[in-house]
Amino acid sequence: MSTEEPPPQPRRRGFRTGRLEAFSDGVFAIAVTLLVLDIAVSANAGQHLLRSIADLWPSYLAYVVSFSTIGAAWLAHNAITEYLDRTDAAFVRLNLLLLLFVSFLPFPTRLLADYIGEDSPERVAATFYGISLLLTTTMLLVLWRYAVRARLVRPDLADEEIQLLTERLTPGLGAYLVLIVSGLFLPIIAVIGYLGIALYYIIPFRRLSANILPKRRRRDRIGPPDRG
Amino acid sequence: MSTEEPPPQPRRRGFRTGRLEAFSDGVFAIAVTLLVLDIAVSANAGQHLLRSIADLWPSYLAYVVSFSTIGAAWLAHNAITEYLDRTDAAFVRLNLLLLLFVSFLPFPTRLLADYIGEDSPERVAATFYGISLLLTTTMLLVLWRYAVRARLVRPDLADEEIQLLTERLTPGLGAYLVLIVSGLFLPIIAVIGYLGIALYYIIPFRRLSANILPKRRRRDRIGPPDRG
Amino acid sequence: MSTEEPPPQPRRRGFRTGRLEAFSDGVFAIAVTLLVLDIAVSANAGQHLLRSIADLWPSYLAYVVSFSTIGAAWLAHNAITEYLDRTDAAFVRLNLLLLLFVSFLPFPTRLLADYIGEDSPERVAATFYGISLLLTTTMLLVLWRYAVRARLVRPDLADEEIQLLTERLTPGLGAYLVLIVSGLFLPIIAVIGYLGIALYYIIPFRRLSANILPKRRRRDRIGPPDRG
Amino acid sequence: MSTEEPPPQPRRRGFRTGRLEAFSDGVFAIAVTLLVLDIAVSANAGQHLLRSIADLWPSYLAYVVSFSTIGAAWLAHNAITEYLDRTDAAFVRLNLLLLLFVSFLPFPTRLLADYIGEDSPERVAATFYGISLLLTTTMLLVLWRYAVRARLVRPDLADEEIQLLTERLTPGLGAYLVLIVSGLFLPIIAVIGYLGIALYYIIPFRRLSANILPKRRRRDRIGPPDRG
């Protein structure tokens, strides 16, 4: 009969994971929603409003790229905390550092939207933007690597699964470096590339979960209450 | 006696539903609250403040229509996740796409508030606004249809209930299309119509839940912890 | 042994209370935090910065009054949902209407901060502000009265407790009406009065919970998981 | 066998802790994310964008100091609520007062960013900023001391643990006072000092949890659901 009862182990969330996730979700959600505040037509756009709206394409592009990147970071953050057995004090601090970069992203996004199309500042804005994205992604990898090294991950997690998430998070760093350099010559191409990285992070994570999660016992996967 | 115990199945939330809901709630709540930032009297409104406040009626109208539409989308999102047994990776991505449209809404809302009453730009603003609402509502229907097709809905859900929610979400699309076209000629009418659609979504959902939910076993309805 | 187990009844939260609370908390928290965006010194404040900061007292006053009022509304909202056994569809819609007024408050707050000290617009701003606060408080009472009438409150709640919360929420309406009228002649007095009402709501709720909650069985009070 | 079951006591969260934490997390997260809105290059920065971005170092400094301080306050808030057995009405009100100061911080942050480097206003801005940080930290200590005095902390908490958290929260007050006075003469030094205090709060809390938490029974530490 004791196997019928909710076993005590699944309550695996340790020190402050609940509030860490709530605070992180808040910062991700606000950073993503503040992006829209920087989309605006000029004050005298009245008589050519259709054209003014169309001329804002750099703002839309920057909005979509930043939204996708923050969305991808949120998904990766989810994958990391999903795999955690518990957190420790250092993990919480590293997480704060990640959030510092995430909540900074609306500023380079605004610069990018403002200066795309203006030759010289466009290169500066695209480079600054790329470096900000690189820092965010680096922190995600640091967070995950720390969690693995400090043995915070769930003991029932197979080594291949840990390896797979590491492999998913790593190549983005190289891609960002290549694009940041390219951005000095072809800023628009770099921005499209940043969108590509975000979509790469967003889309094939699907395969990851499709391949791995079903291997675990269904009850175990569903069991742990995500939020509390 | 085993029927007295909390059965293991009710813990039906699967992959990341808790954080998906928390992140979505955050984006909905912020999008709805940012709308107020665009309501402002002009700098020299001092001596005619009462009149300046009254002259802001387009801002109030846009505020109410957008608040109602986002509120209705939040209710529909609630209804969808309420019916889910679990989520999968694609659902989470489609949800991100929905949130991208939701968090974009403050921008067309601001345009609408700024240009109502100015003949030609008014048509542009109302059309742009209508298209943004249409995209949001379309994504809700896509999300729900995907959930049904991918068998993410709760197995105890009757086919009529699934059908009913589909029927609730669908007619809005046609109504938006009609209003977008009407908005080219009668923009104000279109805006009133958008409010009507939002209220249609908000109000008769009540009947839906009144009719359907009580049919389910009370314990089952109350059992699943909404948040975790 | 069955008395040792967590009884099934305490899971009293019904239709969507978890997300209703999360969404409401989000809107309250954002509305309260956006207030600070409207506090700013003028661009050329440099050489007289100390004086410029001191001259912003109307902004600080408006900030404190609005923060207190939204905080008091959040506390009252808490008291209401704490007493609920479940919610229904109409309650969720009335709650949306309450949030529409709450998230509107930063606008009258800004007007008040901008026009205190300017004779005629000051009266307009204080009146407009008072009406906005009145609408918010009225909606709280409507929400509570609806919950009582629709029998959404917990069955173990004594009639006096219900009565006490009603009595707590009601007098504010009269006080707001008196102050709105006074504000036409003595706007500053009215604003101080609005602060007084907020503090009245904030402070003696303490007595309420001190008197009533201990009467209930301790386990019952602590038992229901607040959040999930 | 009864020791195997989840004991009824661990459901220790009392009156409204769930929503208190959710609302607080929201305010902390929004305050921290709004900071970025005040980072902006001037409108005509185009041709010297790289230099304009570099010239914003006061904004970055202010951003990092305020982010760290709010992050440290969030961590301390976490430590406090982690140690609580329940909350009471007065605790909830004191918490509101803390949040009033937290959500005010973006304003002095903006002043600091705007006036660093301008001799006389720099001193005013640094002093005003320091006083705001002092008020926030004082409220944290007040909150904790109240919780101890009102016996809200968990009964299984050793006296040394309570003492340790008090000792962690106290020295910041003296340090802030010293730095506020120093800031009248050397504003930049004071700002660096404020960053130092935030890092002091952020980093050695780690030792605290490393030393203390493992002493408690592992199951007990992990058992209570953080969020619900």
Side-chain angles (χ1 to χ4, degrees):
Chain A
M1 201 195 104
S2 65
T3 55
E4 298 267 317
E5 286 176 355
Q9 308 94 281
R11 293 205 168 176
R12 58 189 168 76
R13 301 290 177 193
F15 183 52
R16 297 279 105 197
T17 313
R19 288 194 65 183
L20 180 142
E21 288 185 2
F23 184 69
S24 305
D25 282 344
V27 171
F28 280 113
I30 301 155
V32 114
T33 320
L34 287 184
L35 296 170
V36 81
L37 292 184
D38 295 316
I39 306 181
V41 298
S42 55
N44 54 358
Q47 286 317 305
H48 311 283
L49 189 56
L50 187 58
R51 191 185 182 146
S52 299
I53 290 174
D55 284 350
L56 281 178
W57 66 264
S59 291
Y60 308 137
L61 178 63
Y63 175 77
V64 168
V65 179
S66 287
F67 194 104
S68 305
T69 304
I70 299 178
W74 178 75
L75 285 170
H77 194 265
N78 260 10
I80 291 173
T81 61
E82 172 82 352
Y83 281 2
L84 288 189
D85 181 52
R86 57 191 180 90
T87 57
D88 66 5
F91 185 90
V92 175
R93 273 75 184 171
L94 290 173
N95 191 62
L96 272 182
L97 198 55
L98 166 67
L99 297 180
L100 183 136
F101 292 128
V102 168
S103 68
F104 185 72
L105 284 178
F107 172 56
T109 304
R110 204 187 318 147
L111 285 185
L112 188 71
D114 284 353
Y115 292 108
I116 277 186
E118 297 185 30
D119 188 47
S120 155
E122 180 182 55
R123 287 152 206 249
V124 175
T127 307
F128 187 64
Y129 185 72
I131 292 171
S132 305
L133 299 184
L134 175 66
L135 287 171
T136 304
T137 308
T138 305
M139 273 313 301
L140 276 169
L141 188 62
V142 166
L143 206 63
W144 172 238
R145 281 190 168 278
Y146 173 79
V148 173
R149 214 165 286 178
R151 297 168 182 264
L152 303 177
V153 296
R154 285 154 48 184
D156 65 323
L157 216 61
D159 281 357
E160 311 95 79
E161 299 182 51
I162 291 174
Q163 192 57 30
L164 237 162
L165 185 53
T166 310
E167 279 168 17
R168 288 278 313 149
L169 290 171
T170 309
L173 303 194
Y176 275 125
L177 282 175
V178 169
L179 286 170
I180 287 168
V181 175
S182 319
L184 295 173
F185 307 98
L186 299 160
I188 286 283
I189 300 299
V191 174
I192 305 287
Y194 298 141
L195 181 58
I197 299 178
L199 295 181
Y200 163 80
Y201 275 114
I202 288 178
I203 290 161
F205 253 92
R206 183 183 179 176
R207 206 162 6 108
L208 179 72
S209 64
N211 289 343
I212 286 179
L213 291 179
K215 287 184 198 165
R216 303 215 301 269
R217 302 184 311 281
R218 183 187 154 86
R219 183 158 157 217
D220 193 85
R221 197 187 88 219
I222 294 184
D226 275 343
R227 175 111 291 216
Chain B
M1 203 193 106
S2 65
T3 55
E4 298 268 317
E5 286 175 355
Q9 308 94 281
R11 293 205 168 176
R12 59 188 167 76
R13 300 291 178 192
F15 183 52
R16 296 280 105 194
T17 313
R19 287 194 67 183
L20 181 142
E21 289 186 2
F23 184 70
S24 304
D25 282 344
V27 171
F28 280 114
I30 301 156
V32 113
T33 321
L34 288 185
L35 295 171
V36 80
L37 293 184
D38 295 315
I39 306 180
V41 297
S42 56
N44 54 357
Q47 287 316 305
H48 311 282
L49 189 56
L50 187 58
R51 190 188 180 142
S52 299
I53 291 175
D55 284 350
L56 282 177
W57 66 264
S59 291
Y60 308 138
L61 178 63
Y63 175 78
V64 169
V65 179
S66 287
F67 194 104
S68 305
T69 304
I70 299 178
W74 177 75
L75 285 171
H77 193 265
N78 260 10
I80 291 173
T81 61
E82 171 82 351
Y83 281 1
L84 288 190
D85 181 52
R86 57 190 182 90
T87 58
D88 67 5
F91 186 89
V92 175
R93 272 76 184 171
L94 289 173
N95 191 62
L96 272 183
L97 196 55
L98 166 67
L99 296 180
L100 183 137
F101 292 129
V102 168
S103 69
F104 185 74
L105 284 178
F107 172 57
T109 305
R110 204 187 318 144
L111 285 185
L112 188 71
D114 284 353
Y115 292 107
I116 279 186
E118 297 184 29
D119 187 47
S120 155
E122 181 182 55
R123 288 151 206 250
V124 176
T127 307
F128 187 62
Y129 185 72
I131 293 172
S132 304
L133 300 184
L134 175 65
L135 287 171
T136 304
T137 309
T138 305
M139 273 314 300
L140 277 169
L141 188 62
V142 166
L143 207 62
W144 172 239
R145 281 190 169 278
Y146 174 78
V148 173
R149 214 165 288 179
R151 297 167 183 265
L152 303 176
V153 296
R154 286 156 46 186
D156 66 324
L157 216 61
D159 281 356
E160 312 94 80
E161 299 182 51
I162 292 173
Q163 192 56 31
L164 237 161
L165 185 52
T166 311
E167 278 168 17
R168 288 278 312 147
L169 290 170
T170 309
L173 303 194
Y176 276 124
L177 282 175
V178 169
L179 285 170
I180 288 168
V181 174
S182 320
L184 295 173
F185 307 98
L186 299 160
I188 286 283
I189 300 299
V191 174
I192 306 286
Y194 298 142
L195 180 59
I197 298 178
L199 295 181
Y200 163 80
Y201 275 116
I202 288 179
I203 292 161
F205 254 93
R206 182 182 179 175
R207 205 158 11 104
L208 179 71
S209 63
N211 290 344
I212 286 178
L213 291 178
K215 287 184 198 162
R216 303 216 302 268
R217 301 185 311 282
R218 182 186 156 87
R219 184 156 156 219
D220 193 85
R221 198 188 87 219
I222 293 185
D226 275 342
R227 173 111 289 218
Chain C
M1 201 192 105
S2 66
T3 56
E4 299 266 317
E5 285 175 355
Q9 308 92 282
R11 293 203 168 177
R12 58 186 169 77
R13 300 290 176 193
F15 183 52
R16 296 281 103 195
T17 313
R19 288 193 66 183
L20 181 142
E21 288 186 2
F23 184 69
S24 305
D25 282 345
V27 171
F28 280 114
I30 301 156
V32 114
T33 320
L34 287 184
L35 296 171
V36 81
L37 292 184
D38 295 314
I39 306 181
V41 298
S42 56
N44 54 357
Q47 287 317 306
H48 311 283
L49 189 56
L50 187 57
R51 188 183 182 149
S52 299
I53 290 175
D55 284 350
L56 282 177
W57 66 264
S59 291
Y60 308 138
L61 178 63
Y63 175 77
V64 168
V65 179
S66 287
F67 194 105
S68 305
T69 304
I70 300 178
W74 177 76
L75 285 171
H77 193 265
N78 259 9
I80 291 172
T81 59
E82 171 83 352
Y83 282 1
L84 288 190
D85 181 52
R86 56 189 183 90
T87 57
D88 67 4
F91 186 89
V92 175
R93 272 74 184 172
L94 289 174
N95 191 61
L96 272 183
L97 197 55
L98 166 67
L99 296 180
L100 182 137
F101 292 129
V102 168
S103 68
F104 184 73
L105 284 178
F107 172 57
T109 304
R110 203 187 318 145
L111 285 185
L112 188 71
D114 284 353
Y115 293 107
I116 277 186
E118 295 184 31
D119 187 47
S120 156
E122 181 182 55
R123 288 152 205 248
V124 176
T127 308
F128 187 63
Y129 185 72
I131 293 171
S132 305
L133 299 184
L134 175 65
L135 288 171
T136 304
T137 308
T138 305
M139 274 313 301
L140 277 169
L141 188 62
V142 166
L143 205 63
W144 172 239
R145 280 189 169 280
Y146 173 78
V148 173
R149 214 166 288 179
R151 297 169 185 263
L152 302 177
V153 296
R154 285 154 48 184
D156 66 323
L157 216 61
D159 282 355
E160 312 96 78
E161 299 182 51
I162 291 173
Q163 192 56 29
L164 237 161
L165 185 52
T166 310
E167 279 168 16
R168 288 279 313 149
L169 290 170
T170 309
L173 303 194
Y176 276 124
L177 281 175
V178 169
L179 286 170
I180 288 168
V181 174
S182 320
L184 295 173
F185 308 98
L186 299 160
I188 286 283
I189 301 298
V191 174
I192 306 287
Y194 298 141
L195 180 59
I197 298 178
L199 295 181
Y200 163 80
Y201 275 115
I202 288 177
I203 293 161
F205 253 93
R206 182 183 180 176
R207 208 163 4 108
L208 178 71
S209 63
N211 289 345
I212 285 179
L213 291 179
K215 286 184 198 162
R216 303 217 300 268
R217 301 183 313 282
R218 182 186 154 87
R219 184 158 156 217
D220 192 86
R221 197 188 89 220
I222 293 184
D226 275 344
R227 174 107 293 210
Chain D
M1 203 194 107
S2 66
T3 56
E4 298 267 316
E5 285 176 355
Q9 306 93 283
R11 294 206 167 174
R12 59 190 167 75
R13 301 291 177 193
F15 183 51
R16 297 280 103 196
T17 314
R19 289 194 65 182
L20 181 142
E21 289 186 3
F23 184 69
S24 304
D25 282 345
V27 171
F28 280 114
I30 300 156
V32 115
T33 320
L34 288 184
L35 296 171
V36 81
L37 293 184
D38 295 314
I39 306 181
V41 298
S42 55
N44 53 356
Q47 286 318 305
H48 311 283
L49 188 56
L50 187 58
R51 190 187 183 145
S52 299
I53 290 174
D55 284 350
L56 281 177
W57 66 264
S59 290
Y60 307 138
L61 178 63
Y63 175 77
V64 169
V65 179
S66 287
F67 193 104
S68 306
T69 304
I70 299 177
W74 178 75
L75 285 171
H77 194 265
N78 260 9
I80 291 172
T81 60
E82 172 82 352
Y83 282 3
L84 288 190
D85 181 52
R86 57 189 182 90
T87 57
D88 67 4
F91 186 89
V92 175
R93 273 76 184 171
L94 289 173
N95 191 62
L96 272 183
L97 197 55
L98 167 67
L99 297 180
L100 183 136
F101 292 128
V102 168
S103 68
F104 185 72
L105 284 178
F107 172 57
T109 304
R110 203 187 319 146
L111 285 185
L112 189 71
D114 284 353
Y115 292 106
I116 278 185
E118 296 185 30
D119 189 46
S120 155
E122 181 182 56
R123 288 154 205 246
V124 176
T127 307
F128 187 62
Y129 185 71
I131 292 171
S132 304
L133 300 184
L134 175 65
L135 287 171
T136 304
T137 308
T138 305
M139 273 314 299
L140 277 169
L141 188 62
V142 166
L143 206 62
W144 172 238
R145 280 190 170 280
Y146 173 78
V148 173
R149 215 166 287 179
R151 297 168 184 264
L152 303 176
V153 296
R154 285 155 47 184
D156 66 323
L157 217 60
D159 282 356
E160 311 96 78
E161 298 181 53
I162 291 173
Q163 192 56 31
L164 237 161
L165 185 53
T166 310
E167 280 168 15
R168 288 277 314 147
L169 290 170
T170 309
L173 302 194
Y176 276 124
L177 282 175
V178 169
L179 286 170
I180 287 168
V181 175
S182 319
L184 295 173
F185 308 98
L186 299 160
I188 285 283
I189 301 299
V191 174
I192 306 288
Y194 298 141
L195 180 58
I197 298 177
L199 295 181
Y200 163 81
Y201 276 115
I202 287 178
I203 291 161
F205 253 93
R206 182 184 179 177
R207 209 165 359 110
L208 178 72
S209 64
N211 289 343
I212 286 179
L213 291 179
K215 286 182 197 165
R216 303 217 300 269
R217 301 183 313 280
R218 182 187 154 87
R219 184 157 155 219
D220 193 85
R221 197 187 89 219
I222 294 184
D226 274 344
R227 174 110 292 214

